[in-house]
Amino acid sequence: MKDGLRPHLASYLLAMADDEMVLAHRNSEWTGHAPILEEDIAFTNLAVDEMGHAGLWYRLHSDLVGEDPESYPDELVFFREAPFFRNVQLVELPRGDWAFSMLRQYLFDAAESVWLPALEGSSYPPLAETAAKIAREEIYHLRHTQAWIRRLGRGTEESHIRLSRALAELWPYAVQLFVPDPAEDELTEQGVVPARADLQQAWMTKIEADFEASDLALPESAAPLSVDRRAHSEHLVGLLTVMQSVARAYPDVLW
Amino acid sequence: MTDTPWPRFYVFKQDSPEAPHMNCGSVHASDAEMALLNARDVFVRRPECVSLWVAPAARVAEVTVDGLAGLAPQADDAEGQAYEVFTKAAAKGQHAHVGQIAAGSPGQALRKASETYPDGVWVWMVVPSVAIVASPEDEGQAWFEAARDKPFRHQSFYHTERLIREIKAGQLDPEGDE
C-alpha cells in the first residue's frame, strides 16, 4: 500500500472501530435487563464480541498511525471526547425497547455480513486477515438477530407495531453506514476497501428478504440524517460519561 | 426478568466427535431454533463443543431403576418411531447419549431402553428422534470455533478482581494521585 494512503485507511478503521465499540456499549446496557435470563446471556455475549472486534480494528488503526497497539486502543476509547469519535449516530441512540435494540443490531449485522467478505479481498493483508476472522463470528450474530426480528415481526400485534416503529426511526440513521468519507475514493481505487455504493446494494437485497420473512415493508430510500461522522447526537456525551468514568477515575491503573 | 411462559428445552452438548452428546442443562425459549441459539450462548462459552442438540422438555421421558416396575405394561409392540436413548449411572452426573431404539410410545421406549442398555444404569431418558433439533453441521466454525480466540471471556484474563478489592479498601485513590 502506498504510504500516502495510510492516514486515509487509519481514519476508515477508526470509524469501523468506533461503530463497534459504541454499539457494544449500548447493547451492554441490557445486561441484567433483557426479557429473559437466556437472552440476557446471549445478548451480553454478543456485546462482548463486538467489543472484541472493535479492539482488533483499533489495533490496526494504531499500527497505521505509529502508536502502540497494546495501549493506544484504551487511550482512544477511554480518554477521547465525543467530538473525536467517528461512529455513525445509529449506534449511539439510546437502547429503546427490545425491538429497537434487536433491529438496530440486525441492521448492523446485515451490513457487516456484506462488508466483511468484501474486506477479505483487501489489498492490505492485515485488513483482509482481520476481516476473515470477524466474518466467521458474524454469521452467528446475524442468525441470532434474524431469528428475533422474524419472531417480533410475526409475533403479536404489539410486537409487530414496536418493530415497525423501530424501523421507521432507525432507517434514516442506518443508511449513514454507507456514506463514504471523501478521502475514501483512492482507497477504493487501490482495492484497499470496497465501494460503499456496492455494499449498500448488497445490504438492501439481504434485508429485503429478511424483512419479507418478518412481515416488514422495506422503507423508501431515505437520505441519511447525517453525512458527517464528526457530527454526533446529544446521546454520545452521556454514553461516554458512563463508559469512561471508571478509567478516568483511576487513570494509572492497569486493568 | 419475571416468570416466562416459554417452554423449557433440554440441551445436549457434544465435546468431541468421539464423545456422546451429554445433557448439560436446559433453557427457556419460544421454539427450538431460539433454544439452540440460547444454548450456544449459555453452555458453549468455553470452546469444548462440536455439536448441540435441543429437545422440548415436554417430549422427554425418563425412569429410574426404582420406577421401572411402575411402567404401564405395553400391550402394543408396534415399532412406531425412533427414540434417542440417554442414560446415567447415578443421581449425580449427566445423561449421556447411548443409542437409538424404535418404540410405539414413550413408556414402551423406556422399557425397551432398560432392556437394551441394562448395565450400571440408574436412570434412562428417551426423546423421540424427530423432537431433537441439532446445530447446523455446516456452521460449526461460526458456532463453536470462535470461542477459541476469546481469552477475554475467562475470568483469569482480568486483574479486575484484585483491583476492585484495593479500590474498595481505599488503597487506590481516584484521579491517580495515590
Side-chain angles (χ1 to χ4, degrees), chain A residues 19-42:
Chain A
D19 281 350
E20 303 244 32
M21 187 64 220
V22 173
L23 183 58
H25 185 82
R26 271 294 181 235
N27 289 345
S28 77
E29 293 173 358
W30 280 103
T31 302
H33 302 278
I36 61 162
L37 178 62
E38 287 83 345
E39 190 56 36
D40 199 291
I41 295 171

Side-chain angles (χ1 to χ4, degrees), chain A residues 22 28 34-35 44 53 59 63 68 91 94 106 108 122 126 131 133 138 147 151 161 173 179 205 220 226 239 255:
Chain A
V22 173
S28 77
T44 300
H53 300 167
R59 289 181 74 97
D63 280 337
D68 175 13
V91 294
Y106 164 77
F108 191 81
S122 170
K133 192 170 173 180
E138 280 299 329
R151 281 154 184 80
I161 288 171
Y173 287 101
V179 177
T205 306
E220 301 279 309
S226 170
L239 181 147
W255 293 96

Side-chain angles (χ1 to χ4, degrees), chain B residues 82-138:
Chain B
Y83 286 80
E84 302 301 327
V85 182
F86 303 83
T87 65
K88 62 176 181 170
K92 286 204 288 190
Q94 302 174 314
H95 299 78
H97 183 237
V98 291
Q100 197 187 61
I101 53 156
S105 69
Q108 190 191 20
L110 285 172
R111 186 174 297 284
K112 273 199 174 179
S114 70
E115 289 161 7
T116 313
Y117 307 97
D119 298 328
V121 173
W122 181 73
V123 63
W124 291 266
M125 176 191 271
V126 295
V127 189
S129 306
V130 293
I132 291 179
V133 177
S135 53
E137 281 179 23
D138 55 339

